[in-house]
Amino acid sequence: MLKETYSIFFGTLDNKYRFKIISLLREGSKNVTQICKVLNMNQTTVSHNLARLKTCGFVFVRNDGNERIYSLNSRTIKPLMKLIDEHMGTYCKKLCKC
Amino acid sequence: MLKETYSIFFGTLDNKYRFKIISLLREGSKNVTQICKVLNMNQTTVSHNLARLKTCGFVFVRNDGNERIYSLNSRTIKPLMKLIDEHMGTYCKKLCKC
DNA sequence: TTAGCATATGTTATAAATAACATATACTTA
DNA sequence: TAAGTATATGTTATTTATAACATATGCTAA
């Protein structure tokens, strides 16, 4: 695996808005407009960030009329979040309080 | 867990040099001078990046005379790398060829 | 106790990422 | 097929991160 690969992986996840989108999609699939409303985000920003999440395989899309329904790749995201929570809980208690 | 927590986690890993350091430490513990030599990196850059890796609990340090021996937190890093390799291999085959 | 080596930290010019504007595309209904 | 709705994409000012310089700290041995 190339080292750039990891940069793409982590770089995509290291963003407040992309993380909010992922968190929202954990509750269920949503279209772009719904994501914009719930997160109070600009549509262009949402679409740009969804594009990057999609490129990295963190979300999937399907068309429904003129809407695009985005869903989460739980197979990766779930164990990833579990790993992070465990890590931060064990090794970074002070950081988490900030 | 606060969302900033994730940003610290991913932001720390999303860096070419920090990733190189992690990769090197997977082979075994090293002091700062050794890391500088092997990776052909400036000492200040190495120390700055080690500090961040340490803050996030990705590496541990112990003193040995006037040297500092850095070792990897394999408990987090190993399953994390496995997860990424599997994810990228399954969902991002095209990306990995770039 | 001082000289030298190993490492850490304060600071900042430069490089890179972000967020939003402007606009394009694509689907749908009348 | 025209008009409206939903979403995507090209571009760029602004924000943020990086990398290295300068320097400080801490350990060791003479």
Side-chain angles (χ1 to χ4, degrees), chain B residues 27-43:
Chain B
E27 299 166 16
S29 301
K30 303 255 179 308
N31 67 33
V32 177
T33 304
Q34 288 175 314
I35 295 169
C36 292
K37 275 185 190 160
V38 177
L39 301 182
N40 194 30
M41 282 172 70
N42 190 293
Q43 180 265 314

